[in-house]
Amino acid sequence: IVTLEVTGVDGESVGSGVIYSADGWIVTNRHVVEGATAMTVHLEDGRDFPGLVYGIDTLTDLAIVKVEATGLTAATLGRSSAIQVGQTAIAIGSPLGVYTNSVTAGIISAIGREITTESGRLDGLLQTDAAINPGNSGGALVDAKGRLVGINSAILSPSRGNIGIGFAIPINLAASIMNSLVMTGRVSRGYLGVSRPDSVT
């Protein structure tokens, strides 16, 4: 898990990210890094690297960041498709941008949730009661074996603090988006279109 210190047009903010591969690819949330003019990536071992936003996917609130580093310890991926309600969930991140690499535990409260945020509608989410607070966005949701099953993305709270309703993007989806962005720099989606002719003869 890494901490992202972001400077943008709206000021400074702090979020979290997950090392996806040993050669410096990091997955986080779009809303953490969008509009960044400068970014510092803080690793748990004390090293700092400048980060570059390499790609963004608006529909899933995902983004990837690149740092020029090798030999990093990447997350072990799990299978979010195998997640069941009631199983252990552990959230890791940097709440409030101060308490780096904090760990909280709970359960998977629901799967396939849909929410509307300031960034738009997100669906297919994992819901958890593991404490997620501002600054945790982009951090890891892992199972009891430490396998990455989701990317923490949003909370539902009138006070903007934890009330036990948090949401994560399933890793099966995140991995697909990540791979597409790394390989092509963009996300390609298929669609089915149906049209009706203006007149029928």
Side-chain angles (χ1 to χ4, degrees):
I1 307 301
V2 300
T3 301
L4 306 178
E5 188 175 347
V6 180
T7 300
V9 293
D10 296 325
E12 296 183 350
S13 61
V14 177
S16 303
V18 179
I19 299 174
Y20 186 80
S21 66
D23 56 349
W25 293 105
I26 295 166
V27 60
T28 185
N29 285 143
R30 177 194 61 79
H31 73 262
V32 171
V33 299
E34 189 172 48
T37 56
M39 183 191 316
T40 302
V41 179
H42 303 284
L43 272 59
E44 186 178 4
D45 62 12
R47 290 182 292 168
D48 296 338
F49 294 93
L52 174 67
V53 179
Y54 186 84
I56 284 177
D57 182 48
T58 303
L59 292 181
T60 57
D61 193 30
L62 286 169
I64 56 173
V65 170
K66 186 68 169 70
V67 297
E68 294 304 320
T70 58
L72 302 181
T73 302
T76 300
L77 302 188
R79 289 191 307 121
S80 53
S81 58
I83 291 292
Q84 296 183 341
V85 173
Q87 91 177 56
T88 299
I90 301 167
I92 310 173
S94 302
L96 308 180
V98 177
Y99 304 105
T100 59
N101 294 298
S102 291
V103 179
T104 57
I107 63 170
I108 297 294
S109 304
I111 58 177
R113 289 298 201 204
E114 179 182 307
I115 63 171
T116 300
T117 70
E118 294 176 358
S119 304
R121 191 185 74 179
L122 301 174
D123 54 26
L125 302 177
L126 303 175
Q127 180 186 332
T128 180
D129 66 350
I132 297 174
N133 287 287
N136 276 109
S137 290
L141 189 72
V142 303
D143 63 15
K145 294 184 178 181
R147 297 171 300 196
L148 183 66
V149 296
I151 302 298
N152 298 327
S153 184
I155 58 175
L156 181 61
S157 171
S159 64
R160 295 183 59 83
N162 173 61
I163 60 171
I165 306 177
F167 302 93
I169 301 164
I171 194 57
N172 285 24
L173 173 60
S176 173
I177 298 298
M178 178 79 177
N179 291 334
S180 180
L181 286 172
V182 168
M183 289 187 294
T184 69
R186 62 189 180 91
V187 179
S188 298
R189 292 183 170 89
Y191 68 93
L192 175 66
V194 178
S195 63
R196 182 177 60 120
D198 292 333
S199 60
V200 178
T201 59

